[in-house]
C-alpha cells in the first residue's frame, strides 16, 4: 500500500510532536501486540494535524498497525519462503525508488496533464 500525501504530512507532523515530547508511542503487549499513540491531545496537536483527536488516532492506527506492520508481515512471508538472500536487492531497489521520487519532487516535475493546462 502506498502512502498518500496526507499520510506523509501526518508522519512529518507526528515526528515533530514526538521530538518535542508532546506525543509518544507505546507498545501494548497482547496477542497480537499493538502500538498506541499517547500524549496530551491539546490544542497544539489539533492545530498541527488539523483534525480531531479521533482522526489522529485513526490515521496513526492505519499507518502503524496496518501499513507498517503489514509490510513486515509480507517481508517475513517472502523471506520464510526464499530466505534472506534477496533482501539486499530489495533494500537497494527501494532506496533507489525513494531517491528517484525525491529527485522528481525536488526538480518541480509536472505531469503531462499539468503541462497541457498551460
Amino acid at each position: 500500500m502506498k502512502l498518500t500525501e496526507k499520510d506523509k504530512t501526518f508522519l512529518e507532523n507526528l515526528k515533530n510532536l514526538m521530538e518535542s515530547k508532546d506525543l509518544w508511542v507505546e507498545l501494548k503487549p497482547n496477542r497480537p501486540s499493538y502500538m498506541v499513540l499517547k500524549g496530551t491531545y491539546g490544542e497544539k496537536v489539533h492545530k498541527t494535524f488539523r483534525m480531531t483527536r479521533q482522526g489522529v488516532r485513526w490515521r496513526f492506527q492505519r499507518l502503524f498497525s496496518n501499513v507498517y506492520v503489514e509490510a513486515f508481515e509480507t517481508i517475513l512471508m517472502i523471506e520464510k519462503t526464499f530466505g534472506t538472500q534477496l533482501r539486499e536487492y530489495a533494500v537497494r531497489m527501494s532506496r533507489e525508488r525513494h531517491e528517484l521520487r525525491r529527485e522528481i519532487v525536488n526538480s518541480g516535475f509536472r505531469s503531462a496533464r499539468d503541462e497541457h493546462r498551460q
Side-chain angles (χ1 to χ4, degrees):
M1 172 180 270
K2 291 197 175 202
L3 296 179
T4 66
E5 285 303 315
K6 286 183 179 181
D7 292 336
K8 292 173 187 175
T9 301
F10 178 86
L11 291 171
E12 291 167 2
N13 288 333
L14 178 60
K15 179 183 179 213
N16 291 335
L17 288 173
M18 289 177 71
E19 287 175 347
S20 67
K21 309 289 189 223
D22 290 297
L23 296 174
W24 62 93
V25 177
E26 290 182 4
L27 181 68
K28 294 294 182 180
N30 207 347
R31 190 137 174 101
S33 298
Y34 59 97
M35 290 184 258
V36 177
L37 186 61
K38 302 291 264 182
T40 305
Y41 287 86
E43 191 64 25
K44 184 176 182 180
V45 171
H46 179 71
K47 282 183 178 179
T48 300
F49 289 113
R50 295 188 188 126
M51 63 177 74
T52 65
R53 203 166 80 185
Q54 183 179 359
V56 171
R57 285 194 300 240
W58 176 86
R59 190 166 298 270
F60 175 83
Q61 287 303 318
R62 189 180 78 75
L63 290 172
F64 286 88
S65 293
N66 297 1
V67 175
Y68 192 47
V69 174
E70 286 176 10
F72 277 103
E73 288 174 354
T74 301
I75 292 166
L76 290 172
M77 184 183 76
I78 291 171
E79 289 186 350
K80 183 178 179 186
T81 305
F82 295 99
T84 60
Q85 67 262 18
L86 301 176
R87 183 187 298 171
E88 184 179 334
Y89 294 162
V91 169
R92 177 180 174 167
M93 291 167 62
S94 67
R95 285 186 176 143
E96 288 170 355
R97 289 178 184 184
H98 178 75
E99 187 58 36
L100 283 171
R101 276 193 291 276
R102 284 186 46 194
E103 287 174 11
I104 289 169
V105 168
N106 290 339
S107 70
F109 175 82
R110 293 186 304 208
S111 71
R113 182 178 56 198
D114 291 340
E115 290 292 327
H116 183 308
R117 289 181 181 163
Q118 291 186 353

